[in-house]
Amino acid sequence: MCLTPRIGDSKVLESRETDDGTTIRRRRVSADGHRFTTYERIELPQLYVRKRSGNREVFDRDKLATAVKRSVGKFLGSELEVEEVVGDVEKLLRRAGDDEVTSMQVGNAALDVLAERNEVAYVRFASVFLDFTTLDDFERILRERRTR
């Protein structure tokens, strides 16, 4: 039994364009009644991420979305909002005009986007990304946010 629905055997229930106009979100239902969501976006040239280890890998939107969801919990309202955060991060990274960014640049871009959307999500992501180990780390980031 296949648990993954086939897009060809599905019907679109609802289509919605993201605010920035670069992605279309479609709610679908498969022939056997399973509901699922697909995202269509413009395919741009590959963006690569240079890891701390020196390895180079293709920028993975799903990997970033998972990291955001895991670190911020339910402080973002929906999958669509997570998708918008990831899209905004990718836009920031592409604005630099380079085809390669560092993992630090990815994390900092995510912090910038989350700071504008939700302060608690920002602090939670910062605690994971910046590897907080003490309460002083939290206090420092909160002081920095309040002075901005």
Side-chain angles (χ1 to χ4, degrees):
M1 177 179 172
C2 179
L3 296 177
T4 305
R6 293 173 39 98
I7 293 173
D9 297 338
S10 67
K11 291 192 300 188
V12 175
L13 299 174
E14 170 193 7
S15 291
R16 183 181 305 175
E17 193 173 294
T18 57
D19 291 339
D20 64 5
T22 62
T23 305
I24 297 174
R25 174 185 180 264
R26 298 194 194 281
R27 288 292 298 151
R28 297 177 172 268
V29 62
S30 64
D32 61 0
H34 288 90
R35 291 176 181 249
F36 60 100
T37 303
T38 59
Y39 295 92
E40 297 175 22
R41 67 185 137 268
I42 298 168
E43 194 169 310
L44 299 168
Q46 291 287 2
L47 180 63
Y48 294 93
V49 177
R50 180 70 61 183
K51 308 298 274 184
R52 290 180 187 156
S53 65
N55 293 340
R56 184 179 187 233
E57 62 184 50
V58 174
F59 175 76
D60 185 345
R61 292 175 61 92
D62 292 335
K63 189 173 178 180
L64 179 57
T66 299
V68 168
K69 284 187 267 189
R70 187 176 297 141
S71 61
V72 304
K74 297 185 188 276
F75 284 94
L76 293 179
S78 67
E79 286 289 323
L80 183 57
E81 191 171 5
V82 171
E83 181 66 22
E84 288 171 353
V85 166
V86 171
D88 290 348
V89 168
E90 185 175 9
K91 250 193 283 182
L92 279 175
L93 296 172
R94 288 187 181 278
R95 266 193 212 143
D98 296 328
D99 65 345
E100 183 175 295
V101 296
T102 65
S103 56
M104 187 63 80
Q105 287 172 296
V106 174
N108 285 327
L111 284 173
D112 290 345
V113 170
L114 288 169
E116 296 299 317
R117 286 187 173 263
N118 184 305
E119 288 180 325
V120 176
Y122 165 82
V123 171
R124 287 181 61 135
F125 187 85
S127 72
V128 174
F129 174 64
L130 300 174
D131 196 25
F132 288 4
T133 56
T134 67
L135 286 176
D136 292 337
D137 296 329
F138 282 95
E139 289 173 351
R140 178 183 44 77
I141 201 85
L142 291 172
R143 266 193 314 277
E144 289 173 11
R145 280 295 303 150
R146 287 188 177 122
T147 59
R148 287 186 180 175

